[in-house]
Amino acid sequence: MERKKTDHMAYLPDMDVIDSDMMEQVLRQMNDYDYEQYTSASVQAALRKDSLSVEDFAAMLSPAAEAHLEEMARRARAETARFFGNSITMFTPLYIANYCENHCVYCGFNCFNKIKRGKLTMEEIETELRTIAATGLQEVLILTGECRGASGPEYIGHAVRLANQYFSTVGIEIYPLNVEEYRYIQSCGADFVSVYQETYDTDRYDEMHPMGTKRIYPYRFYAQERAILGGMRGVAFGALLGLGNFRKDAYAAGLHASLLQKKYPHAEIAFSFPRLRPYINNAKNNPNDVGERQLLQTMLAYRLFMPFAGITISTRERAGFRDNVIGLAATKISAGVSVGVGGHGEEAKGDEQFDISDPRSVDDVRSAIARRGMQPVFTDYVRV
Amino acid sequence: MNDMLMIGGVSFCSRFILGSGKFSLEDTKKVIENAGVEMATLALRRANVGGEENILDYMPEGITLLPNTSGARTAEEAVRIARLARSLGCGDFVKIEVIHDSKYLMPDNYETVKATETLAKEGFIVMPYVYPDLVTARALRDAGAAAVMPLGAPIGSNKGLLTRDFVQILIDEIDLPIIVDAGIGRPSQACEAMEMGVDAIMANTAIATAGDVALVAKAFRLAIESGRAAYLAGLGRVLEQNAEASSPLTGFLEE
Ligand code: SF4
């Protein structure tokens, strides 16, 4: 039975539409971005500048820049030190539910994947939070699958309120919300919102998200802006590298973030660069043409373009890679990670979203940071 | 020599204020000793009281803490952070930082004046971080600030005293200690600022990004002392005048 798919570029009822043309700007510039036109000379010229323009950023992401990785790394390390000193912030994610009504082709939580589903009760959430807090961590990121039915804003709000009692910094990585919903979650105690566009290529986005509300591209695109309007302090951007053309995706995410910062100068900006990972029942999910070299190039390009932005390195990458990019470009690292539902205190109540590559504990990561001469930071935020 | 720096009725021999939070905590003691500083800043957002890697645990006895309000975007947030610092036992000094700009980290002078007014009334010794603007500095003085901390260059840039002429105006017009806060990247720049008559220097990134943090701390101390001595010796005034003519140009006048 053939069902007509919903238009992924049109809002559904109940979705806030805000007054902004950022999406048109990003899409136009991304489509015009021809990374083959850049040469070694354009990369070198960009590297000589004090601050990088969007055009220079485009050059840094081009294949021509791959030959200049070492110079980029040197400069990136200096920029990171200028803005962040030798501090590396530590945090851990907590998945509180993995119900999902979407069918993202690349994700282990997708609604057709036969995995164990679960949702933590408030008591269970508190046990998890307490266990995490006992490791000394002061920052937690609360995650759910995208299911308003099973894990609605109120459920998340309650979890955030609990988290706020144990942690100085609480972030959320959940489905996109309306402005007033962000305001509500902020009032519960979370100030940072991560939403990844996965791919900025609208056609590829269409293919990858055949059903569910996540299908609606513009609603996801404007999530960060709605979060800021709802009183959130900082927002994170990113694309799932390997899903589409990674150079274009990386370029679009950087542009998106810089336009938002221009419009809301106080907004704190952060990036994360997940690469595709295998998941339960799909061991072959892989990052395609994005090797470590390309991933590093992307991270360095962001550091040079927006030296003030936070960059998080996830456990999707191996320990050796993570340890080497902190201080070079990354400023934040997760530790003691479980990507199943719960799993910090008691046994996980639901299966994992993807396979992790760095299962090290908080103490191990902390020592690894110190061994590199960097300062592990447990708290860098005071909510007043 | 009885050349003390007075801030809010408290006197200091050292004219060097150390920023913290950008180098390893275990280096703190060594850096403070080498720098000979008596005052060090402390970002309250880094204070992890009772927890891991708490910056407060690394501050040696006898150092005057200068908690800063970094992370505040408005006067109101700065006021709340300052009160929190005091309640944690950090004392009455507070460096106000209100930043509403995540890219350039430029201080918001207007909000800073508002926060200064409130906190000075509550008995804090307020040291506001601002863009060097005379009108703002006058408002800060009237609001009860104990010092003015103008930036020398964009924060973390290590570019030196790019705002030189504007800082000079503050030195000439404002009868409060003028302490150059951001932008000083090398000891020579610190020395130059001191020669001009700046009352003290604060440095953070310059120290944190050096190969040997303890050694560069010492270099800064010496440069600041040297610049201060040059200022007291009147060197600055001579340098600023045009070269002396060898014979008077108006000597032909008869009456
Ligand atoms: S990426 Fe998010 S929305 Fe998509 S299937 Fe996974 S959990 Fe659901």
Side-chain angles (χ1 to χ4, degrees), chain A residues 118-181:
Chain A
K119 167 183 168 182
L120 302 182
T121 63
M122 287 304 142
E123 291 71 47
E124 289 167 331
I125 291 176
E126 186 146 16
T127 308
E128 290 288 308
L129 291 168
R130 223 182 278 134
T131 312
I132 296 169
T135 65
L137 289 178
Q138 276 293 323
E139 174 165 350
V140 71
L141 178 66
I142 305 274
L143 296 96
T144 63
E146 305 216 0
C147 182
R148 278 181 179 260
S151 43
E154 231 162 89
Y155 168 74
I156 295 166
H158 286 153
V160 165
R161 255 190 241 283
L162 282 176
N164 203 32
Q165 291 170 19
Y166 294 91
F167 296 88
S168 70
T169 316
V170 182
I172 52 166
E173 190 176 320
I174 59 165
Y175 47 88
L177 300 175
N178 282 338
V179 174
E180 287 315 311
E181 292 169 331

Side-chain angles (χ1 to χ4, degrees), chain A residues 90-107:
Chain A
M90 293 171 70
F91 78 105
T92 210
L94 170 61
Y95 286 74
I96 58 173
N98 68 356
Y99 290 96
C100 189
E101 55 197 18
N102 291 292
H103 179 210
C104 308
V105 180
Y106 48 83
C107 172

Side-chain angles (χ1 to χ4, degrees), chain A residues 354-374:
Chain A
F354 56 88
D355 295 348
I356 62 176
S357 302
D358 180 6
R360 287 177 300 171
S361 69
V362 172
D363 267 345
D364 287 349
V365 172
R366 172 208 194 143
S367 322
I369 296 172
R371 265 200 308 278
R372 301 194 70 83
M374 315 275 307

